[in-house]
Amino acid sequence: EIKNQLRSWFFRIFSILTLFIIVLINIGIFGTERSPMSFRALPSFIPYLNILILNIAQAVIVGFMASDFMKYDRKLDSTDVVYMRSMTNVDYVLGKTAGVLAIFFGLNLAALVNALIFNVFIADMPFVTQVYLLYPLLISIPTLVFMIGLSFLLMSILRSQALTFIILLGYIAITLFFLGTRFHQLFDYMAFYLPLAWSDFSGFSDIGLIFIQRGIYTLFGIGFIFTSVLMLKRLPQSRPMSAVSVVISTISIITAFVLGGIYLNNITVGRNIREAIADLNKRETDTPSVTV
């Protein structure tokens, strides 16, 4: 799968173009001594910006590539030699998933190396090791797993790559421009609007809620991947593995919904506390205060 995807000119062109745009943005923002302090104040801003821009681009690319293999498998019979082998559908789909994830891990590594070069040699900013590990974990991996699972599921249902890609593009646009800021960033699967700027003074704003929100989309992606295993038009080769797929898919999707409820509940509790504090301050405004 890695070899097949690396031969794709769609992946090559978009990857090179995305990395080129990231380099230009880094030069424009951090390549001059007159760069705004608002960009240079946080030591995590360079890797954060690089991964954030890459994440938007790879959300589009991975949707096309993840749905691509089913089209060729079904229409061009390009994997008959693989289909005839005695492997379970779980092996087949997870192998495809691992291949797509592997090449995008490489793309993320390239973006982080670019950020590292600007961080250490060009920009007057301290280097922080942990953010180079946290940002791929919190931004890229949940987005990739979710988009791969959603692409597999839509392709299994619609049986049309063009229609699947149009729906995914529409979903990306709606999330990015309309739903991303609503319901306290619950629908922001790309983490574009989440408060993920890391400070060496205070860290993340609320790491618990951030992990919950990213866990929602990771679990949805896992659930969709194993659902597509069950919908694959091929002999399953193993009834126990089919049963395991049902269990994993069900548990993952249900847990994702539960985490969504926990996420909204935590935000509601926090909002109620702030409203209670504001109400208390208003009530005490007219209370006479002691003067010396």
Side-chain angles (χ1 to χ4, degrees):
E1 184 63 18
I2 293 174
K3 291 180 179 179
N4 283 334
Q5 298 296 355
L6 288 177
R7 294 189 186 110
S8 169
W9 281 103
F10 181 85
F11 173 76
R12 294 178 183 178
I13 293 173
F14 266 81
S15 300
I16 294 173
L17 184 61
T18 301
L19 292 176
F20 179 70
I21 291 173
I22 289 175
V23 171
L24 289 182
I25 292 175
N26 286 337
I27 292 174
I29 295 178
F30 307 108
T32 171
E33 295 181 355
R34 297 181 180 181
S35 59
M37 184 55 67
S38 57
F39 294 126
R40 297 166 53 207
L42 293 177
S44 64
F45 195 79
I46 294 182
Y48 177 43
L49 181 65
N50 280 241
I51 293 297
L52 198 63
I53 295 173
L54 175 63
N55 197 47
I56 298 173
Q58 71 184 6
V60 178
I61 303 172
V62 75
F64 180 84
M65 296 178 65
S67 61
D68 199 47
F69 86 85
M70 286 191 178
K71 181 190 75 171
Y72 285 109
D73 289 353
R74 187 168 56 86
K75 289 188 175 181
L76 303 182
D77 298 328
S78 61
T79 54
D80 278 351
V81 67
V82 178
Y83 261 48
M84 67 185 291
R85 295 179 180 272
S86 182
M87 71 174 75
T88 66
N89 287 354
V90 174
D91 293 333
Y92 182 72
V93 173
L94 290 186
K96 292 283 188 178
T97 303
V100 174
L101 284 175
I103 61 173
F104 280 99
F105 285 163
L107 195 59
N108 277 263
L109 181 61
L112 289 174
V113 169
N114 175 67
L116 178 67
I117 292 172
F118 275 88
N119 199 163
V120 174
F121 299 105
I122 299 176
D124 183 21
M125 299 170 67
F127 174 75
V128 182
T129 305
Q130 57 263 40
V131 295
Y132 282 84
L133 303 175
L134 285 173
Y135 282 134
L137 175 66
L138 294 175
I139 299 177
S140 293
I141 293 178
T143 301
L144 288 171
V145 173
F146 176 70
M147 286 302 295
I148 290 173
L150 184 61
S151 301
F152 284 179
L153 183 63
L154 289 176
M155 194 65 186
S156 299
I157 296 172
L158 300 175
R159 301 286 170 179
S160 170
Q161 187 191 25
L163 186 57
T164 297
F165 194 53
I166 290 173
I167 292 176
L168 289 176
L169 284 179
Y171 177 63
I172 292 171
I174 291 173
T175 303
L176 193 60
F177 298 111
F178 299 103
L179 291 178
T181 57
R182 298 179 183 273
F183 301 101
H184 309 285
Q185 294 83 42
L186 177 63
F187 297 103
D188 184 19
Y189 75 93
M190 287 186 289
F192 188 77
Y193 297 102
L194 281 180
L196 285 173
W198 184 89
S199 167
D200 54 348
F201 180 74
S202 59
F204 289 108
S205 61
D206 194 336
I207 190 62
L209 277 182
I210 290 172
F211 270 110
I212 290 175
Q213 201 269 4
R214 303 315 289 156
I216 292 171
Y217 289 100
T218 304
L219 289 172
F220 269 130
I222 294 172
F224 293 159
I225 288 171
F226 279 93
T227 301
S228 64
V229 169
L230 301 171
M231 301 178 67
L232 191 64
K233 300 298 182 182
R234 179 179 177 271
L235 293 176
Q237 299 291 325
S238 173
R239 291 185 182 275
M241 290 306 297
S242 297
V244 169
S245 299
V246 172
V247 172
I248 294 177
S249 174
T250 303
I251 292 177
S252 297
I253 294 175
I254 291 176
T255 306
F257 278 111
V258 171
L259 287 181
I262 294 173
Y263 179 82
L264 292 177
N265 180 68
N266 286 347
I267 290 179
T268 301
V269 170
R271 183 178 59 196
N272 291 339
I273 292 175
R274 292 189 294 272
E275 290 176 354
I277 293 172
D279 184 62
L280 177 62
N281 288 335
K282 290 179 182 177
R283 291 202 312 268
E284 297 298 329
T285 299
D286 298 329
T287 302
S289 57
V290 177
T291 58
V292 178

